[in-house]
Coordinates of all heavy atoms in Angstrom, one line a residue:
Chain W
L86 N 103.5 83.4 127.0 CA 104.0 82.8 128.2 C 103.1 83.2 129.4 O 102.7 82.4 130.2 CB 105.4 83.1 128.4 CG 106.3 82.0 129.0 CD1 106.4 80.8 128.1 CD2 107.7 82.5 129.3
L87 N 103.0 84.5 129.6 CA 102.3 85.1 130.7 C 100.8 84.7 130.7 O 100.2 84.4 131.7 CB 102.4 86.6 130.7 CG 102.1 87.3 132.1 CD1 103.0 86.7 133.2 CD2 102.3 88.8 132.0
A88 N 100.2 84.7 129.4 CA 98.8 84.2 129.3 C 98.7 82.8 129.8 O 97.7 82.4 130.4 CB 98.4 84.4 127.9
G89 N 99.7 82.0 129.4 CA 99.7 80.6 129.8 C 99.7 80.5 131.4 O 99.0 79.7 131.9
V90 N 100.5 81.3 132.0 CA 100.6 81.3 133.4 C 99.3 81.7 134.0 O 98.8 81.1 135.0 CB 101.8 82.2 133.9 CG1 101.8 82.3 135.4 CG2 103.1 81.7 133.4
F91 N 98.7 82.8 133.5 CA 97.4 83.3 133.9 C 96.4 82.2 133.8 O 95.5 82.0 134.7 CB 96.9 84.5 133.1 CG 97.7 85.8 133.5 CD1 98.7 85.8 134.4 CD2 97.3 87.0 132.8 CE1 99.3 87.0 134.7 CE2 98.0 88.1 133.1 CZ 99.0 88.1 134.1
A92 N 96.4 81.4 132.7 CA 95.4 80.4 132.5 C 95.6 79.3 133.6 O 94.6 78.7 133.9 CB 95.5 79.8 131.1
L93 N 96.8 79.1 134.0 CA 97.0 78.0 135.0 C 96.7 78.5 136.4 O 96.2 77.7 137.2 CB 98.5 77.5 134.9 CG 98.8 76.7 133.6 CD1 100.3 76.4 133.6 CD2 98.0 75.4 133.6
S94 N 97.0 79.7 136.7 CA 96.8 80.2 138.0 C 96.1 81.6 138.1 O 96.5 82.6 137.6 CB 98.2 80.4 138.7 OG 98.1 81.3 139.8
R95 N 94.9 81.5 138.6 CA 94.1 82.7 138.8 C 94.7 83.7 139.8 O 94.6 84.9 139.6 CB 92.7 82.2 139.4 CG 91.7 83.3 139.5 CD 90.9 83.5 138.2 NE 89.9 84.6 138.4 CZ 89.8 85.6 137.6 NH1 90.4 85.6 136.5 NH2 88.9 86.5 137.8
T96 N 95.5 83.1 140.7 CA 96.1 84.0 141.7 C 97.1 84.9 141.1 O 97.2 86.1 141.3 CB 96.8 83.1 142.8 OG1 96.0 82.0 143.1 CG2 97.1 83.9 144.1
V97 N 98.0 84.3 140.3 CA 99.0 85.1 139.6 C 98.4 86.1 138.7 O 98.8 87.3 138.6 CB 99.9 84.2 138.7 CG1 100.9 85.0 137.9 CG2 100.6 83.1 139.6
E98 N 97.3 85.8 138.1 CA 96.6 86.7 137.2 C 96.1 87.9 138.0 O 96.3 89.1 137.6 CB 95.4 86.0 136.5 CG 94.7 87.0 135.5 CD 93.5 86.3 134.8 OE1 93.2 85.2 135.1 OE2 92.9 87.0 134.0
L99 N 95.4 87.6 139.1 CA 94.9 88.7 139.9 C 96.0 89.6 140.4 O 95.9 90.8 140.5 CB 94.1 88.1 141.1 CG 92.8 87.5 140.8 CD1 92.2 86.8 142.0 CD2 91.8 88.5 140.2
A100 N 97.2 89.0 140.7 CA 98.3 89.8 141.2 C 98.9 90.7 140.2 O 99.4 91.8 140.5 CB 99.3 88.8 141.8
L101 N 99.0 90.2 138.9 CA 99.8 90.9 137.9 C 99.0 91.7 136.9 O 99.5 92.7 136.3 CB 100.6 89.9 137.1 CG 101.7 89.2 137.9 CD1 102.6 88.4 137.0 CD2 102.6 90.2 138.7
V102 N 97.7 91.4 136.7 CA 96.9 92.1 135.7 C 96.9 93.6 135.9 O 97.1 94.4 134.9 CB 95.5 91.5 135.6 CG1 94.5 92.6 135.0 CG2 95.5 90.3 134.7
P103 N 96.8 94.1 137.1 CA 96.7 95.6 137.3 C 98.0 96.3 136.7 O 97.9 97.3 136.1 CB 96.7 95.8 138.8 CG 96.0 94.5 139.3 CD 96.5 93.5 138.4
Y104 N 99.2 95.6 136.9 CA 100.4 96.2 136.4 C 100.5 96.2 134.9 O 101.0 97.1 134.3 CB 101.6 95.4 137.1 CG 101.6 95.6 138.6 CD1 101.0 94.6 139.4 CD2 102.0 96.8 139.1 CE1 100.9 94.8 140.7 CE2 101.9 97.0 140.5 CZ 101.4 96.0 141.3 OH 101.3 96.2 142.6
A105 N 100.0 95.1 134.3 CA 99.9 95.1 132.9 C 99.1 96.2 132.4 O 99.4 96.8 131.4 CB 99.4 93.7 132.4
V106 N 98.0 96.5 133.1 CA 97.1 97.5 132.6 C 97.7 98.9 132.8 O 97.7 99.7 131.9 CB 95.8 97.5 133.5 CG1 94.9 98.7 133.1 CG2 95.0 96.2 133.1
V107 N 98.4 99.1 133.9 CA 99.1 100.4 134.1 C 100.1 100.6 133.0 O 100.2 101.7 132.4 CB 99.8 100.4 135.5 CG1 100.8 101.6 135.6 CG2 98.8 100.5 136.6
L108 N 100.9 99.6 132.7 CA 101.9 99.6 131.6 C 101.2 100.0 130.3 O 101.8 100.7 129.5 CB 102.6 98.3 131.5 CG 104.1 98.3 131.3 CD1 104.8 99.1 132.3 CD2 104.6 96.8 131.2
Q109 N 100.0 99.5 130.1 CA 99.3 99.7 128.8 C 98.8 101.1 128.7 O 98.9 101.7 127.7 CB 98.2 98.6 128.7 CG 97.1 98.9 127.7 CD 97.7 98.8 126.3 OE1 98.8 98.4 126.0 NE2 96.9 99.3 125.3
V110 N 98.2 101.6 129.8 CA 97.4 102.9 129.7 C 98.4 104.1 129.9 O 98.0 105.2 129.5 CB 96.3 103.0 130.8 CG1 95.3 101.9 130.5 CG2 96.8 102.9 132.2
T111 N 99.6 103.9 130.4 CA 100.5 105.0 130.5 C 101.1 105.3 129.1 O 101.7 104.4 128.5 CB 101.6 104.8 131.5 OG1 101.0 104.2 132.7 CG2 102.4 106.0 131.8
P112 N 101.0 106.5 128.6 CA 101.5 106.8 127.2 C 103.0 106.5 127.1 O 103.8 106.9 128.1 CB 101.2 108.3 127.0 CG 100.1 108.6 128.0 CD 100.3 107.7 129.1
I113 N 103.4 105.9 126.1 CA 104.8 105.4 125.9 C 105.8 106.6 125.9 O 106.9 106.6 126.4 CB 105.0 104.5 124.7 CG1 106.4 103.9 124.7 CG2 104.8 105.2 123.4 CD1 106.6 103.0 125.9
V114 N 105.3 107.8 125.3 CA 106.2 108.9 125.3 C 106.5 109.4 126.7 O 107.6 110.0 126.9 CB 105.6 110.1 124.5 CG1 106.0 110.1 123.1 CG2 104.1 110.2 124.7
A115 N 105.6 109.2 127.6 CA 105.8 109.6 129.0 C 106.8 108.7 129.7 O 107.6 109.1 130.6 CB 104.5 109.7 129.8
I116 N 106.8 107.4 129.4 CA 107.7 106.5 130.0 C 109.1 106.4 129.4 O 110.1 106.2 130.0 CB 107.2 105.0 130.0 CG1 105.7 105.0 130.3 CG2 107.9 104.1 131.0 CD1 105.0 103.7 130.1
A117 N 109.1 106.7 128.1 CA 110.4 106.5 127.3 C 111.6 107.3 127.9 O 112.7 106.7 128.0 CB 110.1 106.9 125.8
P118 N 111.5 108.6 128.3 CA 112.6 109.3 128.8 C 113.2 108.6 130.0 O 114.5 108.5 130.1 CB 112.1 110.6 129.2 CG 110.8 110.8 128.4 CD 110.3 109.4 128.2
L119 N 112.4 108.0 130.9 CA 112.9 107.3 132.1 C 113.7 106.1 131.7 O 114.8 105.8 132.2 CB 111.7 106.9 132.9 CG 111.2 107.8 134.0 CD1 110.0 107.3 134.7 CD2 112.3 108.1 135.0
I120 N 113.1 105.3 130.7 CA 113.7 104.1 130.3 C 115.1 104.4 129.7 O 116.1 103.7 129.9 CB 112.8 103.3 129.3 CG1 111.6 102.8 130.1 CG2 113.6 102.1 128.7 CD1 110.5 102.2 129.2
L121 N 115.1 105.5 128.9 CA 116.3 105.9 128.2 C 117.4 106.3 129.2 O 118.6 106.1 129.0 CB 116.1 107.1 127.3 CG 115.3 106.6 126.0 CD1 114.6 107.8 125.4 CD2 116.4 106.0 125.0
I122 N 117.0 106.8 130.4 CA 118.0 107.1 131.4 C 118.5 105.9 132.1 O 119.7 105.7 132.3 CB 117.3 108.1 132.5 CG1 117.1 109.5 131.8 CG2 118.2 108.2 133.7 CD1 116.3 110.4 132.7
Y123 N 117.6 105.0 132.4 CA 117.9 103.8 133.2 C 118.7 102.8 132.4 O 119.5 102.1 133.0 CB 116.7 103.2 133.8 CG 116.1 104.0 135.0 CD1 114.7 104.1 135.0 CD2 116.9 104.6 135.9 CE1 114.2 104.9 136.1 CE2 116.4 105.3 136.9 CZ 115.0 105.5 137.0 OH 114.5 106.2 138.0
V124 N 118.4 102.7 131.1 CA 119.0 101.6 130.3 C 120.2 102.2 129.5 O 120.0 103.2 128.8 CB 118.0 101.0 129.4 CG1 118.7 99.9 128.5 CG2 116.9 100.4 130.2
D125 N 121.4 101.6 129.7 CA 122.6 102.2 129.0 C 122.5 102.2 127.5 O 122.7 103.2 126.9 CB 123.8 101.3 129.4 CG 124.5 101.8 130.7 OD1 124.2 103.0 131.0 OD2 125.2 101.1 131.3
S126 N 122.1 101.0 127.0 CA 122.1 100.9 125.5 C 120.8 101.5 125.0 O 119.7 101.2 125.4 CB 122.2 99.4 125.1 OG 121.5 99.2 123.9
T127 N 121.0 102.5 124.0 CA 119.8 103.1 123.4 C 119.0 102.0 122.7 O 117.7 102.0 122.8 CB 120.2 104.2 122.4 OG1 121.1 105.0 123.1 CG2 119.0 105.0 122.0
T128 N 119.7 101.1 122.0 CA 119.0 100.1 121.3 C 118.1 99.3 122.2 O 116.9 99.0 121.9 CB 120.0 99.2 120.6 OG1 120.9 100.0 119.8 CG2 119.3 98.2 119.7
A129 N 118.6 98.9 123.3 CA 117.9 98.1 124.3 C 116.7 98.9 124.8 O 115.6 98.4 125.0 CB 118.7 97.7 125.5
A130 N 116.9 100.2 125.1 CA 115.8 101.1 125.6 C 114.7 101.2 124.6 O 113.5 101.1 124.9 CB 116.4 102.5 125.9
L131 N 115.0 101.3 123.3 CA 114.0 101.4 122.2 C 113.3 100.1 122.2 O 112.0 100.1 122.0 CB 114.7 101.7 120.9 CG 115.4 103.0 120.7 CD1 115.9 103.2 119.3 CD2 114.5 104.2 121.1
L132 N 114.0 99.0 122.3 CA 113.4 97.7 122.2 C 112.4 97.5 123.4 O 111.2 97.0 123.2 CB 114.5 96.6 122.4 CG 114.2 95.3 121.7 CD1 113.9 95.4 120.3 CD2 115.4 94.4 121.9
I133 N 112.7 98.0 124.5 CA 111.8 97.9 125.7 C 110.6 98.7 125.5 O 109.5 98.3 125.7 CB 112.6 98.4 127.0 CG1 113.7 97.3 127.3 CG2 111.6 98.5 128.1 CD1 114.6 97.8 128.5
C134 N 110.8 100.0 125.0 CA 109.6 100.8 124.7 C 108.6 100.2 123.7 O 107.4 100.1 123.9 CB 110.1 102.2 124.2 SG 110.9 103.2 125.4
A135 N 109.2 99.7 122.6 CA 108.3 99.1 121.6 C 107.6 97.8 122.1 O 106.5 97.6 121.9 CB 109.2 98.7 120.3
W136 N 108.4 97.1 123.0 CA 107.8 95.9 123.6 C 106.6 96.2 124.5 O 105.6 95.5 124.5 CB 108.9 95.2 124.4 CG 108.4 94.0 125.1 CD1 108.2 92.8 124.6 CD2 108.1 94.0 126.5 NE1 107.7 91.9 125.6 CE2 107.6 92.7 126.8 CE3 108.1 94.9 127.5 CZ2 107.2 92.2 128.0 CZ3 107.7 94.5 128.8 CH2 107.2 93.2 129.0
I137 N 106.8 97.3 125.3 CA 105.7 97.7 126.2 C 104.4 97.9 125.5 O 103.3 97.5 125.9 CB 106.1 98.9 127.0 CG1 107.2 98.6 128.1 CG2 104.9 99.5 127.7 CD1 107.7 99.8 128.8
V138 N 104.5 98.6 124.3 CA 103.3 98.9 123.5 C 102.7 97.7 122.9 O 101.5 97.5 122.8 CB 103.7 100.0 122.5 CG1 102.4 100.4 121.7 CG2 104.4 101.2 123.1
A139 N 103.6 96.8 122.4 CA 103.2 95.7 121.6 C 102.7 94.5 122.5 O 101.9 93.7 122.1 CB 104.3 95.2 120.7

Side-chain angles (χ1 to χ4, degrees):
Chain W
L86 215 64
L87 199 56
V90 173
F91 285 2
L93 290 176
S94 163
R95 183 88 182 132
T96 319
V97 178
E98 182 181 3
L99 288 174
L101 293 187
V102 157
Y104 298 97
V106 172
V107 167
L108 220 54
Q109 162 70 9
V110 297
T111 313
I113 190 63
V114 270
I116 318 175
L119 271 178
I120 295 174
L121 285 155
I122 290 170
Y123 289 136
V124 180
D125 268 344
S126 151
T127 311
T128 307
L131 297 183
L132 207 56
I133 291 172
C134 290
W136 174 80
I137 288 174
V138 185

